[in-house]
Amino acid sequence: MEGVPCLSERYKAAMVLSGVGDAVGYRSGSWEFNFRGVDIYEELQSLGGLTKLDINKKDWPVSDDTVLHLATGEALSTGIEVGEKLFLEIAWHYVRGMRDMSGRAPGGTTSASTNILSRKTPPTYIVPFNKRGGGCGAAMRAMCIGLRYPEPDQLMDLITVAVESGRMTHNVPVGYLGSVACALFTAYAVQRKPVHEWGAGLMSNIPKVLDYVIQVGRDVQQNKDNWSYFVDKWNNYLELRGISDGKGLPTFPEEFGFIERDAFYKSVSHSGWGGSSGHDAPMIAYDALLGAGESWEELCLRGMIHGGDSDSTGVMAACWWGALYGMDKVPNNLYKKLEYRERLEKVAKNLYELSHGNEQK
């Protein structure tokens, strides 16, 4: 398509900009845990605005989101086929990633689960079912799964890896279905599927996820008993935006600034902190992408500058935006000194080569 960067550049943009979205939304913890989007925006303006930020390791470190997204990507970069050996590799990368959490605010569910994994001999990727493990920690690290398995005929590989990597820490449907959503939306971005069709695509594939869980045979009844929450929340959201069938364009309120967005993000949340759960983090990131179109700055305002879990929504929204549009329109001061930029670029290169070889799109 004319004006669209080649696919390898979009892979790089997906990974690098995911780190930018995380770093901006996190702001060393001060923005992630500020519950008023207006206050965050005012501070952003005092810094000269989004385009003037000097993103660097000291002042704008990445959070646990990027560290564990890298863990997923580096495990997938091994090229191991889908199966138990790959799952063990991913689990090992998560345990290793947890050693790099100083100042990064890792979630309690992730910390507890990886602690279980680290103590198991022989190694395992399985933790107990946890009805309270519905946070966004599985979803925030899953986008790159869609870079590894981007094609429609790879859907079951994508679902399998998203589910198993997700429930290594968040073993409840609302947790790992968020992982499936993030991986699938990245694949849709690689395919350049129209964004307003993504939500309907997710819902049409949810039954395949349940079929997989039943087939594996682990915690089946607990999963069935806790299945409807994610599905109901997403059906309600898609109906609100008028895109349940994926055919029409989304509708937004006439007034939808920082105050209105904060209220909406809170309304779709589990406990009042928009973006902190497996269902609402990808939902808010998707909402930001729908509303921003090709505008990077608008994406940041909607997806990273709000009074919720802004680094988690930011890491997702920026990844999908990069996979769609590349990074030509993003000022290089936002990423040239980004922490772990070289690792992010290497993962992008490896996943592109594994998925597409020398193919250019």
Side-chain angles (χ1 to χ4, degrees):
M1 185 178 296
E2 185 179 353
V4 177
C6 68
L7 188 54
S8 62
E9 288 299 310
R10 291 196 284 128
Y11 265 57
K12 182 171 77 171
M15 291 303 299
V16 172
L17 293 184
S18 72
V20 173
D22 176 26
V24 172
Y26 185 50
R27 182 62 164 127
S28 297
S30 66
W31 286 1
E32 179 185 7
F33 300 106
N34 184 333
F35 304 122
R36 282 176 47 85
V38 170
D39 292 348
I40 298 171
Y41 180 68
E42 289 177 354
E43 183 178 346
L44 175 65
Q45 294 306 105
S46 74
L47 297 171
L50 180 71
T51 60
K52 301 298 185 183
L53 297 182
D54 178 27
I55 303 298
N56 61 78
K57 177 180 178 180
K58 178 178 180 295
D59 301 314
W60 299 86
V62 298
S63 79
D64 59 317
D65 299 50
T66 294
V67 171
L68 293 179
H69 192 210
L70 275 167
T72 306
E74 289 171 347
L76 294 175
S77 294
T78 61
I80 299 171
E81 292 184 2
V82 175
E84 184 169 327
K85 185 177 179 182
L86 176 61
F87 306 152
L88 290 169
E89 184 76 14
I90 294 171
W92 179 82
H93 275 78
Y94 291 160
V95 170
R96 186 182 69 168
M98 293 303 292
R99 301 169 190 163
D100 182 17
M101 288 296 157
S102 177
R104 304 196 196 276
T109 299
T110 299
S111 297
S113 295
T114 50
N115 188 43
I116 293 172
L117 295 176
S118 70
R119 299 198 313 266
K120 290 292 184 178
T121 303
T124 185
Y125 58 92
I126 298 171
V127 300
F129 187 87
N130 179 11
K131 189 175 180 179
R132 298 175 61 85
C136 67
M140 72 190 194
R141 61 180 191 244
M143 292 78 67
C144 62
I145 298 170
L147 299 179
R148 178 65 183 91
Y149 310 106
E151 301 300 333
D153 63 2
Q154 296 174 305
L155 175 63
M156 285 314 302
D157 283 343
L158 181 148
I159 287 173
T160 299
V161 175
V163 169
E164 297 302 349
S165 66
R167 60 181 179 174
M168 288 175 193
T169 55
H170 293 70
N171 191 9
V172 67
V174 70
Y176 65 75
L177 287 176
S179 176
V180 172
C182 285
L184 185 64
F185 286 0
T186 309
Y188 285 163
V190 172
Q191 298 167 21
R192 292 197 60 82
K193 185 182 181 76
V195 178
H196 65 272
E197 298 179 6
W198 293 8
L202 170 65
M203 301 314 293
S204 71
N205 284 304
I206 290 294
K208 296 184 179 69
V209 184
L210 182 56
D211 288 345
Y212 170 77
V213 170
I214 293 171
Q215 176 188 343
V216 172
R218 191 166 73 247
D219 308 321
V220 172
Q221 192 57 52
Q222 295 100 314
N223 278 286
K224 287 182 175 179
D225 292 344
N226 291 274
W227 196 258
S228 63
Y229 182 84
F230 182 97
V231 176
D232 291 345
K233 285 288 189 178
W234 266 87
N235 278 329
N236 291 341
Y237 164 73
L238 295 173
E239 183 176 352
L240 178 68
R241 286 286 175 261
I243 53 174
S244 294
D245 60 5
K247 295 180 180 178
L249 296 177
T251 57
F252 288 87
E254 186 174 342
E255 294 290 332
F256 201 54
F258 293 103
I259 294 174
E260 292 81 12
R261 289 199 293 270
D262 275 2
F264 174 67
Y265 296 169
K266 184 175 181 178
S267 75
V268 300
S269 70
H270 178 266
S271 56
W273 188 19
S276 64
S277 297
H279 75 286
D280 62 342
M283 183 184 294
I284 291 168
Y286 180 51
D287 202 63
L289 191 68
L290 284 168
E294 296 187 25
S295 170
W296 166 254
E297 186 161 2
E298 186 65 20
L299 180 90
C300 295
L301 295 178
R302 289 171 178 253
M304 304 162 206
I305 310 301
H306 63 83
D309 194 342
S310 46
D311 60 339
S312 296
T313 58
V315 77
M316 298 171 190
C319 182
W320 302 331
W321 193 94
L324 282 167
Y325 306 118
M327 54 203 301
D328 290 346
K329 297 179 181 179
V330 179
N332 66 7
N333 51 287
L334 296 184
Y335 60 81
K336 66 182 179 180
K337 292 184 284 185
L338 174 71
E339 185 180 14
Y340 293 148
R341 178 174 64 84
E342 292 80 7
R343 285 177 65 191
L344 290 161
E345 290 178 349
K346 183 177 181 181
V347 165
K349 181 176 183 293
N350 289 340
L351 294 181
Y352 171 75
E353 291 177 348
L354 283 167
S355 303
H356 299 278
N358 294 321
E359 176 186 357
Q360 294 290 318
K361 289 186 179 180

